[in-house]
Each structure stands twice: as structure tokens, then as C-alpha cells.
Amino acid sequence: MIISLSGLKKIDWFLAISAVLLSIVGLLSLYSLGSVSQNLLYFKKQLIFLAIGIFLMFLTAFFDYRVLKDNSYLILFLYVICLALLLGLFLFASPIRGVRSWYRVGNVSFDPAEFSKLVLIILLAKYFSYRHVELYKLRHIFLSGFYMIIPAFLVYLQPNLGSAIIFAFVWLGTLLVSGIKLKHFLLLILLAAILGAFGWSFFLKDYQRERIVSFLFPDYKPFAIGWNQNQAKIALGSGGWLGKGFGRGSQAQYGFLPEPKTDFIFSAIGEEFGFGSIIIILFLFMAVFFRMIKIALMSENNFARLFSLGIALWMAAHLFVNIGSNVSIVPVIGLPLPFVSYGGSSLIAFYLSVGILQSIRIHTKRL
């Protein structure tokens, strides 16, 4: 690895700075939440995670991404490692609120599902970069689905339905950008609808079904299962244009808004910093997606193009579900807001993905 001046010049600073600014917004919210309770532990931990993430982003940027493109065995090795880590959760991880999603090392938790999403995107980009012209063959669709379904099922068993859905979405989205036939796509949608109807009765847990019912019928148990989304909407609405001020968000500060550090940090920010801060967040995400898509369009090979689009799909899904949960256009399924929500695993995984995108940009001659 050689860090050259020309390499530094080719870094997409607009993408990197936009991502860091999103993280700074999240840090401000975490500091505000901790300042009132005089507990800045989450802020301090997130600051360390951010430093690690930025360091790994630049470190990864100066590795040649073509090592992944040209080495199937390395990708399979990473995939197997992720499966082993997901399996190990059922043996070595202690349940937190009934969910086995994290390895705990002291005061730090590690969620392998976030890195497994990144590895799946790499694997699918490699698989379809050589087979996109053969997508008329159903065996390639189902074989790629097999790679997806194993980690998705292990994550679902934790249980973590939100991340399991993201695995499926990334796979389906990669199929679309790879050039799947319309009739095959419609067949998959029909199959998903059948599995969804079947899963309602046999796979979803009671609380998961209640979340969906509460989303469809807002008056259903408003002080129980519907409490979270109602409080999120109250927090957003009460913030107005300018917000209530730093540390003055009553919903977030006094426990009415659940999980203001992670699932509902969007509402916590809106309450204290106002609708103006929401516009800034959305603008920064637009900048991130614009730069990702530009890298994809200017890439010189199918692997780089599919990887770039896969990362954009992954982050877009997280963005839509997280914000959608806050404004009640989707049920609450618990996904972090990229770069903003508290959580070391997701934050570092997102910055690693940006690092690989930077590597693609650096090693693309026409960029």
C-alpha cells in the first residue's frame, strides 16, 4: 500500500466530508442527550468509533479494491467468517432484551450482522460481475439467493427481522441493477408475497405482528405497541423550524421517546434542532448518494459498478426504514440511521464501505 499525493487528490472529499458531517450531527445529539443526565459515556464511545471508522476509511481507500475483484477465495473466506460469527452468537452471546445480536467485550458490543451485509454486497458484486449476461438462467438467481438466505436466516433467528429484511433487499436490488428479466423479477415478487403471507402465521412473533397491525391501524393500542411511533411524531412536530434548543427536548430527555440514540435519533434531532436540521441531514444524504452513484457510473468494470450500487442500496434501505419508522410510513423494525445513530459496528461498517468506494475512485483512470 502506497499513499501517494495523486491518491490523496483522487479521494472523493465531498463524499468523505458529507459522511463525517452526518456523524457530527449524531455526536451533537448524543452529547445533548448525555449532558442533561450527566452521562456522556455514549458520546465518548461514539467519538472513538468515529475515529476508528475514519481511520479505516482512509486505510481501506489506499488498498487496491481489485484484490477483492480478482480473488474469489478471499471473498468466500470473508463470507464463511461472517457465517461463523453469526452462528457463534447462539453459543457465546448473552441475550440483550431477548435478542442475541452482540458479542460483548467489556463495555463494547460487536454486531457481526452489519459487517455481514457488507461482505454479502462484495460477494454478490463478484458473482454477478461475471454472470450478469446469464441472468436469464434461473439457477443463477436461486444460487445467489442461497448466499443471501443463510446469513438472513441466522439474523432472523436472533431475532432481528430488520437486518434480515435488509439482506433480502440488497440481494433483490443487486439482481435489478444486474439486469434481471422482468418476468423473473415479477416471479420473485409473487414468491415474496406468498412467503410473506406464510410467514405472518408461522414465522413472525406476536410483537412483530402487533407492530405491523399498529402501523396499519394507528389507534390500535396507542399506549402500548403504538407508543414508540406516536412519541416520535410528537417529538418531530414539537421541534418546529428552529427546535427547542440544545438539551431541551422534553420527549428525548425525559424518557418519552424510546431509543433516542439509535432507532429514533432522527426524531430526537428534529425536536431539539428543528426542521432546519432535518433539511441539512437529508441534503447530506443526497450528497452521499449522488457521489456513490457517480462512482458507480464512472467505474471501469462490473464488479466496481455493482459494488457501488449495492452500497447505495444498503444505505438507502437503512435511511428509508429509519426515517420511515420515525414518521410512521413503515413499521418499527429497528435499523440505525447511517453515520448518525449510535453504534460502533454499524458506523465502522458504513465507513469501511466508503473506504472501498474511495479505493474504486482512486484506481479508476477516468475519475
Side-chain angles (χ1 to χ4, degrees):
M1 180 182 68
I2 300 175
I3 300 178
S4 64
L5 183 60
S6 61
L8 285 172
K9 288 181 178 179
K10 291 197 72 175
I11 282 181
D12 191 328
W13 292 102
F14 197 56
L15 171 59
I17 292 172
S18 296
V20 172
L21 287 175
L22 284 167
S23 296
I24 290 173
V25 172
L27 282 171
L28 287 173
S29 181
L30 290 174
Y31 188 86
S32 174
L33 290 168
S35 62
V36 174
S37 61
Q38 296 184 339
N39 180 8
L40 295 176
L41 176 62
Y42 292 109
F43 168 79
K44 294 176 181 177
K45 289 169 67 174
Q46 188 76 346
L47 190 61
I48 294 172
F49 296 145
L50 176 58
I52 294 172
I54 293 173
F55 171 76
L56 291 177
M57 176 181 68
F58 283 104
L59 185 67
T60 308
F62 289 99
F63 278 101
D64 193 338
Y65 80 94
R66 290 171 292 191
V67 172
L68 292 172
K69 171 182 171 290
D70 299 329
N71 196 329
S72 300
Y73 293 108
L74 174 60
I75 296 175
L76 284 175
F77 173 74
L78 294 173
Y79 178 74
V80 171
I81 290 295
C82 287
L83 293 184
L85 288 171
L86 290 173
L87 278 170
L89 289 170
F90 300 101
L91 299 175
F92 306 110
S94 301
I96 300 175
R97 288 173 292 185
V99 178
R100 293 180 182 271
S101 293
W102 302 274
Y103 292 100
R104 290 195 64 85
V105 182
N107 291 325
V108 178
S109 299
F110 166 69
D111 181 2
E114 299 301 329
F115 299 96
S116 299
K117 296 171 189 174
L118 174 58
V119 170
L120 178 66
I121 293 170
I122 296 172
L123 188 151
L124 291 176
K126 174 67 173 177
Y127 186 88
F128 289 120
S129 64
Y130 289 99
R131 296 175 178 85
H132 69 284
V133 295
E134 297 182 349
L135 272 183
Y136 63 89
K137 297 180 180 179
L138 284 174
R139 64 186 176 90
H140 290 309
I141 296 174
F142 288 110
L143 182 56
S144 63
F146 177 77
Y147 286 124
M148 175 275 297
I149 201 68
I150 298 176
F153 184 67
L154 291 174
V155 169
Y156 163 78
L157 291 177
Q158 293 177 358
N160 185 349
L161 180 61
S163 287
I165 291 173
I166 294 299
F167 279 104
F169 178 83
V170 165
W171 169 68
L172 185 60
T174 306
L175 280 173
L176 281 173
V177 298
S178 298
I180 186 176
K181 285 188 173 184
L182 178 60
K183 63 179 181 181
H184 291 163
F185 175 71
L186 294 176
L187 178 63
L188 289 175
I189 295 299
L190 177 61
L191 180 61
I194 294 172
L195 291 175
F198 183 76
W200 176 269
S201 301
F202 297 100
F203 289 109
L204 292 184
K205 298 182 180 298
D206 290 339
Y207 76 90
Q208 292 170 336
R209 284 194 289 267
E210 285 205 319
R211 283 182 179 179
I212 296 174
V213 172
S214 175
F215 163 71
L216 295 173
F217 303 98
D219 293 332
Y220 176 77
K221 296 184 178 180
F223 297 104
I225 197 68
W227 174 266
N228 293 359
Q229 286 192 318
N230 288 334
Q231 296 305 310
K233 288 187 290 185
I234 291 171
L236 272 173
S238 64
W241 279 97
L242 301 178
K244 294 180 177 179
F246 189 86
R248 296 181 179 180
S250 57
Q251 298 298 115
Q253 298 290 352
Y254 300 114
F256 295 101
L257 180 67
E259 304 298 339
K261 301 181 297 297
T262 53
D263 298 354
F264 293 101
I265 195 170
F266 185 77
S267 292
I269 293 170
E271 182 184 26
E272 294 199 340
F273 304 111
F275 189 66
S277 67
I278 299 303
I279 293 176
I280 292 173
I281 289 173
L282 295 179
F283 173 80
L284 290 172
F285 273 116
M286 287 177 61
V288 167
F289 290 127
F290 173 76
R291 304 306 293 185
M292 287 180 176
I293 292 171
K294 182 179 180 181
I295 292 173
L297 293 177
M298 298 299 289
S299 297
E300 296 175 340
N301 57 73
N302 287 327
F303 173 84
R305 187 174 301 109
L306 291 174
F307 174 82
S308 302
L309 292 173
I311 295 300
L313 287 167
W314 171 32
M315 292 192 186
H318 270 258
L319 176 68
F320 175 76
V321 171
N322 183 278
I323 295 180
S325 298
N326 281 252
V327 300
S328 297
I329 61 173
V330 298
V332 178
I333 57 176
L335 290 176
L337 187 61
F339 304 110
V340 180
S341 290
Y342 171 79
S345 298
S346 62
L347 187 67
I348 291 172
F350 285 131
Y351 273 106
L352 276 174
S353 67
V354 173
I356 300 175
L357 289 172
Q358 299 286 8
S359 177
I360 292 172
R361 179 178 172 84
I362 289 171
H363 292 93
T364 299
K365 295 179 180 178
R366 55 183 176 180
L367 278 172

